[in-house]
Amino acid sequence: MAGRLAAVCLTVALTLPGCATVSQPSGARPAAAERERPNIIFIMSDDHAQTAISAYGTEIGRLAPTPNIDRIAANGALFENSYVTNSLCGPSRATMLTGQFSHMHGFTQNGQTFDNTSWNWVRELGREGYRTALFGKWHLNYSPEGAGIDDWAVLDDQGKYYNPDIITPTGRSVVEGYATDIVTDRSIEWLEANAGSGQPFALLIHHKAPHRNFMPAIRHVQKYLGKQFPVPTNYFDHYDGRPAAAAQEMNIYRDMYEGHDLKMTVEEGADELRFNPWPDDFRRMTPEQRSAYFGALQDSNDAMNAAHMTERQLAVWKYQRYMSEYLGTVAAVDDSVGRVLNWLEATGEADNTILVYTSDQGFYLGEHGWFDKRFMYEESLRTPFLMQYPGHIAAGSRVEAPIQNVDYAPTFLDYAGLPVRETIQGRSLRALFEGGAPADWRRDIYYHYYEYPGFHSVRAHYGVKSGRYKLMRFYGDIDAWEFYDLETDPDEMLNRIDDPQMQATIARLKDTLVDLRRQYRDSDGPAVTDPLTASAKGKRDAQAAAGLASHAHH
Ligand code: SGN
Ligand code: CA
């Protein structure tokens, strides 16, 4: 209770002069001046869907709760409308560091090389007296060398779940253990060594999980095995009227690798895996890890092989296996968040620390039949965002104002007492906690995805989300507009671009899109007013799905 009173005082200290002295246990807190400059802990996972966090009130969250991530929502704020600008790892990370859209920082697609010497908020805080560190996935190039971060140890490229290669300023080595735990251990060791030095700190914890190929820690392999998760109603999507959606290659029952991703064996009693084009993920495990991991799946695999399922039954089985593996990896991320929160609470640093949990983008958990991300449809456009700062953000807040990952950099600058740079295209979130969204807060979300051709064959597109409506333009070899009313069609199944009743709204959204592209200075891709050129039909390789869908009606 005393802690809570102290927290309330922090927000009103300026107006209630007596307050600041009321509940200050002598010597237990940093000096008043440093209290103005909070520590920052930025925890980001990779591909974590909002729907897989229980604080978001979802059915998956009920079946696979994330009690520690939920603590952040209880201590602070949960953002109900948090979006990315380009649903892909590298572009998203560059956006979070720079506060710019992809076309401005230049990292539009994975595989490009980020210029580490570009301005980023972490270096800026370091220059102003913060101790800074990053542990986990970088994925913008080989390492953060030159990015101005004091201490770092990163996973190589996408990172491996077991016994990952870790790159540090002094070289590279294989570290035995489970990636999420290794990254957490390093982070807590760093906190132990650097917190309380009188300098504020900024620590970035970037997990690999729950990214493909979805390998839980040994302790979690069976956590959700056999649990029945609700199959999305559009799992067997027909993709009618959505040519780009029909042409993707990110379907769970068609494109997922049965060995590499789903760890399915070839036959009952066998331990040989089905399609496994990148054997390194399993080969690098120790014999003990391998036998514990696959041993835990053997009965489930044997039962699957013995059942001789129909194509449709197998598609549903794959969804359940995917959920079990994906959510199993989330369990260790949640453990990690718990360890960091426990550390903050035990050391008394919690009151002076901003802690954020987010992901580099959202993810499909079977909606439209998919895994992966990239599309501007809701499940990958949305990303989790939870933030606590006791005394400054009211416990249990729910923020409805739409935010985007361009807002993180200006937020951290703001709280560190630094001016916002002109190059930044987002806006500090601080006002949202202090009196609510300003009248001129953004209403419309701008999005632009570029990586095509590429993994999973998602066509380039840009678009706007404006309240209940969404308008997108796919371009390139599929040139097509899509329009959705999310209120009547939250699953985005009905493209109403040709619906006569919608033409006025569509025209209004096109104008908004023109304005946003001008405001953010994006001239990549066709202009909004350019007529469609290529066939809108696209490759209809959704036949397998359509076949399964019609099967569903019998
Ligand atoms: C890897 C994955 C893809 C994923 C990309 C991008 N394949 O290439 O499924 O879309 O990463 O992910 S994998 O089997 O090699 O892991 S991102 O998080 O980096 O954007
Ligand atoms: Ca990612």
Side-chain angles (χ1 to χ4, degrees):
M1 203 57 215
R4 171 153 302 215
L5 284 176
V8 170
C9 280
L10 287 179
T11 43
V12 293
L14 288 176
T15 47
L16 295 176
C19 200
T21 56
V22 170
S23 50
Q24 183 96 350
S26 57
R29 283 161 201 273
E34 279 303 358
R35 201 194 302 134
E36 311 272 294
R37 301 210 303 164
N39 305 313
I40 292 164
I41 299 183
F42 180 80
I43 307 176
M44 174 171 55
S45 52
D46 190 349
D47 293 0
H48 195 177
Q50 256 183 18
T51 47
I53 292 179
S54 37
Y56 276 91
T58 59
E59 180 61 9
I60 294 167
R62 201 179 59 75
L63 295 166
T66 50
N68 290 300
I69 297 173
D70 294 5
R71 280 162 70 186
I72 309 170
N75 293 339
L78 175 145
F79 286 72
E80 311 218 8
N81 295 297
S82 156
Y83 304 101
V84 293
T85 45
N86 179 358
S87 190
L88 195 64
C89 178
S92 231
R93 285 159 201 263
T95 288
M96 291 185 238
L97 286 167
T98 61
Q100 296 179 309
F101 280 83
S102 314
H103 61 279
M104 296 301 278
H105 59 58
F107 197 108
T108 54
Q109 316 188 8
N110 279 350
Q112 293 174 340
T113 306
F114 181 69
D115 177 3
N116 280 354
T117 65
S118 317
W119 182 91
N120 75 63
W121 66 267
V122 190
R123 182 198 291 108
E124 191 73 13
L125 265 60
R127 282 199 182 125
E128 298 295 327
Y130 274 67
R131 291 279 306 150
T132 61
L134 181 145
F135 300 104
K137 185 165 163 177
W138 178 247
H139 202 224
L140 288 166
N141 47 31
Y142 183 73
S143 84
E145 186 81 59
I149 302 172
D150 295 335
D151 302 309
W152 49 266
V154 296
L155 298 165
D156 179 34
D157 192 48
Q158 291 286 8
K160 299 290 181 189
Y161 279 105
Y162 282 87
N163 311 333
D165 278 56
I166 303 249
I167 300 161
T168 69
T170 55
R172 171 194 179 112
S173 58
V174 174
V175 176
E176 194 173 320
Y178 184 66
T180 308
D181 298 339
I182 294 169
V183 166
T184 311
D185 291 344
R186 299 242 169 158
S187 301
I188 295 205
E189 281 161 25
W190 187 88
L191 285 169
E192 291 286 353
N194 291 279
S197 66
Q199 257 178 294
F201 62 80
L203 168 64
L204 286 72
I205 306 175
H206 289 186
H207 292 296
K208 183 243 174 12
H211 187 266
R212 199 179 183 185
N213 68 334
F214 325 112
M215 295 182 72
I218 303 292
R219 65 184 183 281
H220 294 139
V221 178
Q222 289 188 330
K223 192 172 169 77
Y224 302 116
L225 205 58
K227 197 157 208 163
Q228 295 300 303
F229 290 91
V231 181
T233 51
N234 57 0
Y235 188 54
F236 297 107
D237 195 343
H238 45 71
Y239 309 123
D240 287 348
R242 289 161 288 149
Q248 53 51 54
E249 292 167 2
M250 48 189 257
N251 186 289
I252 291 169
Y253 39 94
R254 203 181 52 212
D255 302 310
M256 249 189 175
Y257 298 157
E258 293 184 333
H260 175 74
D261 293 321
L262 293 165
K263 295 91 183 175
M264 294 163 70
T265 49
V266 291
E267 60 183 4
E268 195 182 350
D271 58 8
E272 189 193 330
L273 289 172
R274 297 191 186 195
F275 190 56
N276 180 30
W278 299 299
D280 178 57
D281 294 271
F282 305 136
R283 225 178 248 163
R284 65 192 299 126
M285 299 168 91
T286 64
E288 294 73 28
Q289 288 168 338
R290 231 182 350 251
S291 80
Y293 189 98
F294 290 100
L297 295 174
Q298 191 70 43
D299 286 353
S300 163
N301 277 333
D302 286 345
M304 174 272 300
N305 280 312
H308 301 291
M309 290 180 243
T310 63
E311 206 182 336
R312 184 181 159 80
Q313 286 168 333
L314 193 64
V316 171
W317 186 93
K318 286 181 178 182
Y319 166 76
Q320 299 295 355
R321 171 58 69 84
Y322 166 46
M323 294 299 279
S324 165
E325 296 278 283
Y326 178 95
L327 295 165
T329 72
V330 169
V333 173
D334 192 67
D335 289 349
S336 170
V337 171
R339 288 178 61 194
V340 173
L341 285 171
N342 290 347
W343 184 90
L344 281 174
E345 287 162 15
T347 56
E349 294 283 349
D351 282 350
N352 195 38
T353 301
I354 291 175
L355 183 138
V356 165
Y357 182 84
T358 187
S359 168
D360 61 346
Q361 7 74 203
F363 213 65
Y364 294 95
L365 299 178
E367 301 89 355
H368 305 285
W370 297 338
F371 65 108
D372 216 71
K373 53 266 178 174
R374 301 160 188 277
F375 281 106
M376 198 196 168
Y377 301 123
E378 289 294 290
E379 294 82 357
S380 45
L381 174 64
R382 290 178 174 275
T383 198
F385 194 88
L386 305 102
M387 177 168 171
Q388 70 173 59
Y389 184 15
H392 297 255
I393 301 175
S397 318
R398 311 281 291 201
V399 179
E400 276 178 33
I403 66 160
Q404 291 197 273
N405 50 4
V406 281
D407 299 331
Y408 310 168
T411 301
F412 298 139
L413 290 179
D414 188 1
Y415 278 111
L418 300 172
V420 169
R421 279 168 63 88
E422 241 174 68
T423 56
I424 288 180
Q425 298 181 294
R427 189 165 171 181
S428 168
L429 304 175
R430 189 171 182 163
L432 303 178
F433 311 124
E434 298 171 2
D440 61 347
W441 190 262
R442 77 164 70 72
R443 290 202 178 76
D444 311 307
I445 293 301
Y446 182 62
Y447 182 88
H448 198 157
Y449 171 82
Y450 300 79
E451 192 183 289
Y452 181 80
F455 251 105
H456 305 297
S457 289
V458 174
R459 268 51 178 191
H461 57 293
Y462 61 68
V464 55
K465 180 177 178 184
S466 184
R468 65 188 278 187
Y469 300 114
K470 189 186 289 179
L471 178 72
M472 302 181 241
R473 182 180 186 160
F474 292 86
Y475 63 88
D477 65 346
I478 293 178
D479 198 4
W481 286 98
E482 293 185 15
F483 174 82
Y484 298 94
D485 178 352
L486 295 161
E487 213 159 282
T488 57
D489 177 26
D491 298 333
E492 295 162 290
M493 296 291 286
L494 186 63
N495 176 10
R496 298 177 70 180
I497 196 70
D498 295 321
D499 184 337
Q501 289 195 320
M502 287 293 138
Q503 295 313 305
T505 309
I506 291 168
R508 180 170 64 75
L509 259 72
K510 281 191 178 171
D511 288 345
T512 306
L513 201 43
V514 169
D515 290 346
L516 288 172
R517 282 170 59 81
R518 191 182 301 130
Q519 178 192 337
Y520 293 130
R521 284 180 278 155
D522 186 5
S523 54
D524 290 346
V528 173
T529 48
D530 285 354
L532 300 180
T533 50
S535 153
K537 289 252 174 341
K539 186 175 87 194
R540 180 69 201 221
D541 65 355
Q543 270 161 3
L548 289 166
S550 60
H551 199 219
H553 298 303
H554 301 313

